[in-house]
Amino acid sequence: MGIGVLGPVTVEGDAGILGPRDRVVLAVLSLRPGELVSSERLADALWGDVPPATWTKVVQGCVARLRKVLGPDAIETSHHGYRLVLPVDEVDAQRFERLVMRGRELLTLGEPERAAHLVGEGLALWRGRALVELEGWSPAGAEAARLEEMRLEAQEVQLDAALRAGRYREVLADLQARVAEEPLRERRWALLALAQYQAGRQGEALRTLHGARTTLAGELGLDPGPDLVALEAAILRQDPSLVAEAALPAPSAACPYLGLVAYDVGDAEAFFGRDADVAACVRRLAATGVLAVVGPSGSGKSSLVRAGVAAALRRERRPVVVVTPGAHPCAALTALPDAGPAPVLVVDQCEEAVVLCDDAGEQARFFTALAAHAERGQLVLAMRADRLGELSAHPDVARLVEPGLYLLGAMGEADLRAAIQGPAHQAGLLLEPGLVELLVHEVEGKPGALPLLSHALLTTWDRREDRTLTVEGYRAAGGIRGAVAQSAEDLYESVPADQRPLVRDLVLRLVTPAADGEPVRTRVPRRTVVTDPLHEEIVERLVAARLVTSDDGVVEIAHEALARAWPRLRGWLDDDIEGQRILRHVAGAADTWDAMGRPDSELYRGARLVGAVDWRDRADPDLTPTEQAFLGASQALADAEREAAAQRARQQASVNRRLRSLLVAAAIFLVAAIFVGAVAIAQR
């Protein structure tokens, strides 16, 4: 969290800069983020009715130090005071309220496991009494009391959710402790009695209700409320509705782990482990207007900007447009609206504009458009670290990126645990003791291992025992790196032998070897690779195995990690790198030629045609009908041009022969004329 007020005030990034007065000022501003707070109100919180003569300077100094820690734009100044400007969830109290409200909704919707998990997350934010720095200042007393009441209610919601989930034995001791802490809260007595009844202790449940009646009458002089009375009557008649139906609800039928697929905006609730990074990125974006998330492949950049940053902005009801450049980056920008306020533009996998686009002019236009958008709206980029230097060729964007650069590294132990346990708890799954520690040990400190971890969990889920993910299942899946290779190899072996070349050709179309030899995934239009039912079946097999994704009319492999972890694919790439480049160019050229109405001007000629035909004849690839027609038309045009050239050569040779005959005849005539003239002269 950026700012913590649920306990002593804490600020992320504070290295001893803030003093007690600074924390008081921050606590007052955090009571109502976004609302104007007058300087006089801040002085009242600091000194009461008798501020010192220099109080205005002191307040200004406090605000200046807070800006050093929070950022220059975190606190706005006006003639009437100060305003804390922060994204949603930046203050832990705001996040706590949102989590509790969402937990109540889920409990109402019949999802007690998720409700208990979210409310538990909210309660974990508490570190002591709320707004402790403002004790004695009456305006903060009401807010502190409200937050404390919400905390007590959240505890009861969490316990209620646990009971509805059938975990009455687990919460019995906790309920007894909660009743002892707050004996005047009727709901706690009711939950304790219900848990005892569900555990088969009807007598204890009735004694608990009697104790509640005695406590309320002795302390408050009140009779129990209607809920307690109704519960007592239900217990006496042994109402069937009070019996817990099962120890735990059925776990989710869907796997909570996405495997190699990146989390998207709609997966925000299932995205765990990057809370601190999301908060830091949103702050950086608010401060600079441009955010550039840079990290190695597999570090989770796409998930962070989509399920983290973009989802957080949409929770603030801000318009967000997410694009991926692909081979034609300028076409991707057509998703931006032509009129109205500029949305936040999120460019995921920005390196594709350099790696996949061969047109330097289009690259320049794309980056110029990004710079122009940044002048009127906010811009978020996600880019591989090894491609960051490519931006130096586009100084307008490079200068924008520099202040908003955010280097995304490996997740720490606590974040990895959250990424493993959070989805499991939401889905009602159990993790065998030792599994989490094993997973954390294998991936901690390795920034490119996140997609492999997620896929390993997915394959472990496939091998689960009832609702439990086990260490044995994880090891059977092949571990972190072996899980991807094993899944891909199992799919390849399941395909009939005569169809395996089709799988090879399809997968190779989705991976491009970069200049340094590293594989880069490529987005390919589905219509160019699915040309018959057999190709359709192969694509669907790959999608079902989560090795390939197919959305919005395009097909791509789920992650570059597949090429690194699957030895067979790596071998295919190493066997014919030049052939893959030729195939990539042929596919793009054929698609463009077909879209333009198949004009002769777009066909191959010369050395490029010779190289493509030689590769086709040698490698015998599985070309689409359009690609076959393209190369056939190129060959036919080349043959026609050669025949035309040969015809012209033959015509020229015939003309040359006639000219030579005429020249010979003229020479003979000239010689004869000279001879005749000489004879005539001699006779004269």
Side-chain angles (χ1 to χ4, degrees):
M1 302 306 302
I3 299 173
V5 296
L6 300 178
V9 172
T10 59
V11 183
E12 184 180 334
D14 178 21
I17 298 175
L18 303 181
R21 289 177 178 171
D22 305 327
R23 298 177 188 279
V24 170
V25 170
L26 181 59
V28 176
L29 293 174
S30 301
L31 287 177
R32 295 288 185 271
E35 295 184 10
L36 188 67
V37 180
S38 66
S39 301
E40 290 76 9
R41 187 176 178 85
L42 295 175
D44 184 46
L46 284 166
W47 298 286
D49 296 333
V50 188
T54 58
W55 70 269
T56 56
K57 297 294 184 183
V58 174
V59 170
Q60 291 172 0
C62 292
V63 172
R65 285 187 291 274
L66 288 171
R67 284 181 175 142
K68 287 183 180 179
V69 177
L70 298 175
D73 299 324
I75 301 177
E76 291 182 355
T77 303
S78 70
H79 295 296
H80 303 290
Y82 303 94
R83 177 186 290 108
L84 185 64
V85 182
L86 289 173
V88 174
D89 287 356
E90 191 72 7
V91 180
D92 60 359
Q94 302 290 314
R95 178 171 172 78
F96 167 71
E97 291 191 41
R98 185 180 69 80
L99 289 171
V100 173
M101 290 177 61
R102 179 59 176 159
R104 288 172 177 164
E105 291 177 4
L106 291 172
L107 190 60
T108 304
L109 294 172
E111 297 187 56
E113 289 284 356
R114 294 182 63 192
H117 177 77
L118 288 180
V119 175
E121 273 193 342
L123 289 170
L125 299 174
W126 284 76
R127 297 166 288 104
R129 297 192 309 277
L131 304 171
V132 65
E133 281 80 359
L134 300 180
E135 285 184 351
W137 187 52
S138 56
E143 179 65 12
R146 185 184 73 84
L147 290 172
E148 178 63 20
E149 175 63 19
M150 182 172 286
R151 183 181 72 87
L152 297 176
E153 290 182 0
Q155 292 176 347
E156 294 160 6
V157 170
Q158 186 184 33
L159 293 168
D160 190 5
L163 288 180
R164 297 193 193 188
R167 294 190 273 117
Y168 48 85
R169 298 186 187 278
E170 301 175 23
V171 299
L172 261 175
D174 195 12
L175 275 167
Q176 290 170 343
R178 298 302 182 192
V179 168
E181 290 173 0
E182 299 289 337
L184 301 182
R185 299 183 69 87
E186 290 189 31
R187 189 179 183 185
R188 300 191 174 202
W189 289 99
L191 291 172
L192 175 58
L194 179 59
Q196 290 169 334
Y197 181 78
Q198 290 178 344
R201 305 175 184 177
Q202 182 177 356
E204 288 185 21
L206 292 172
R207 284 194 295 273
T208 294
L209 293 175
H210 178 72
R213 185 187 302 274
T214 302
T215 300
L216 293 173
E219 296 290 337
L220 303 176
L222 297 175
D223 291 329
D227 291 340
L228 277 179
V229 173
L231 177 60
E232 184 175 19
I235 290 176
L236 288 171
R237 67 173 182 269
Q238 297 186 352
D239 193 325
S241 65
L242 300 181
V243 178
E245 295 183 0
L248 282 174
S252 172
C255 179
Y257 303 102
L258 300 190
L260 298 174
V261 182
Y263 287 81
D264 211 337
V265 180
D267 304 316
E269 285 195 1
F271 182 55
F272 291 89
R274 288 290 192 184
D275 291 348
D277 291 303
V278 171
C281 286
V282 172
R283 284 200 306 275
R284 186 72 55 87
L285 179 62
T288 65
V290 176
L291 170 67
V293 179
V294 176
S297 177
S299 58
K301 302 180 297 298
S302 295
S303 297
L304 178 66
V305 299
R306 289 174 178 266
V309 177
L313 296 174
R314 286 189 176 174
R315 284 199 295 269
E316 297 178 9
R317 301 185 183 278
R318 297 182 59 185
V320 179
V321 173
V322 182
V323 301
T324 304
H328 302 286
C330 289
L333 296 181
T334 57
L336 289 170
D338 297 327
V344 180
L345 175 60
V346 178
V347 183
D348 187 19
Q349 301 175 45
C350 188
E351 68 275 0
E352 288 187 356
V354 179
V355 176
L356 302 183
C357 180
D358 298 327
D359 188 344
E362 185 171 3
Q363 288 183 22
R365 291 193 298 275
F366 174 73
F367 286 108
T368 300
L370 294 187
H373 179 85
E375 294 179 357
R376 60 189 188 92
Q378 292 183 327
L379 176 65
V380 178
L381 305 178
M383 194 167 190
R384 276 171 45 188
D386 59 339
R387 292 291 176 180
L388 185 60
E390 308 283 355
L391 293 181
S392 61
H394 308 281
D396 291 345
V397 175
R399 285 193 295 270
L400 290 172
V401 164
E402 184 178 359
L405 190 65
Y406 187 84
L407 296 177
L408 185 64
M411 296 169 68
E413 179 181 351
D415 292 336
L416 285 171
R417 286 180 177 275
I420 297 168
Q421 295 172 333
H425 292 164
Q426 275 195 347
L429 298 173
L430 299 176
L431 298 167
E432 184 180 9
L435 177 60
V436 176
E437 288 73 16
L438 176 61
L439 291 167
V440 170
H441 174 72
E442 292 199 13
V443 301
E444 188 175 9
K446 300 175 183 176
L450 287 179
L452 303 179
L453 169 65
S454 185
H455 187 80
L457 284 165
L458 185 151
T459 53
T460 304
W461 181 85
D462 287 335
R463 295 167 172 81
R464 67 193 182 280
E465 295 178 3
D466 192 20
R467 67 175 66 249
T468 303
L469 274 62
T470 65
V471 174
E472 182 181 354
Y474 166 72
R475 288 175 174 160
I480 293 296
R481 298 191 65 86
V484 175
Q486 184 169 321
S487 296
E489 197 65 22
D490 289 346
L491 181 138
Y492 183 77
E493 294 294 337
S494 69
V495 174
D498 60 330
Q499 297 178 13
R500 290 175 187 173
L502 302 181
V503 176
R504 174 186 182 276
D505 291 336
L506 173 61
V507 174
L508 286 176
R509 286 176 180 273
L510 306 180
V511 183
T512 301
D516 57 1
E518 283 300 309
V520 179
R521 59 179 174 178
T522 304
R523 295 162 60 86
V524 176
R526 187 182 177 100
R527 57 183 168 77
T528 64
V529 295
V530 179
T531 56
D532 55 47
L534 183 56
H535 286 87
E536 177 77 26
E537 179 185 350
I538 291 173
V539 169
E540 291 305 318
R541 279 182 177 234
L542 291 166
V543 171
R546 298 199 182 186
L547 301 174
V548 166
T549 62
S550 179
D551 296 303
D552 298 328
V554 298
V555 180
E556 63 178 335
I557 66 168
H559 202 277
E560 287 97 341
L562 175 62
R564 294 195 295 269
W566 189 16
R568 186 184 295 274
L569 174 54
R570 191 72 195 207
W572 290 339
L573 289 170
D574 293 340
D575 287 345
D576 191 13
I577 293 178
E578 184 59 31
Q580 296 312 306
R581 292 197 177 100
I582 294 174
L583 173 61
R584 195 80 50 221
H585 201 282
V586 168
D591 190 44
T592 302
W593 170 71
D594 188 58
M596 295 177 64
R598 302 193 171 190
D600 290 346
S601 60
E602 297 298 315
L603 295 173
Y604 275 178
R605 290 175 173 82
R608 174 157 284 176
L609 173 61
V610 172
V613 171
D614 287 346
W615 162 77
R616 181 196 63 184
D617 296 340
R618 169 175 48 84
D620 191 24
D622 179 36
L623 298 178
T624 66
T626 300
E627 293 162 357
Q628 293 173 358
F630 173 75
L631 288 180
S634 297
Q635 272 192 296
L637 179 62
D639 292 342
E641 289 177 345
R642 283 195 296 270
E643 180 62 29
Q647 181 66 26
R648 289 193 298 271
R650 287 193 294 271
Q651 292 175 351
Q652 186 65 40
S654 177
V655 171
N656 290 341
R657 284 194 299 272
R658 287 197 297 271
L659 287 175
R660 284 196 296 270
S661 298
L662 290 173
L663 287 173
V664 169
I668 294 172
F669 179 77
L670 178 61
V671 170
I674 293 173
F675 177 77
V676 171
V679 171
I681 292 172
Q683 290 177 348
R684 183 179 298 173

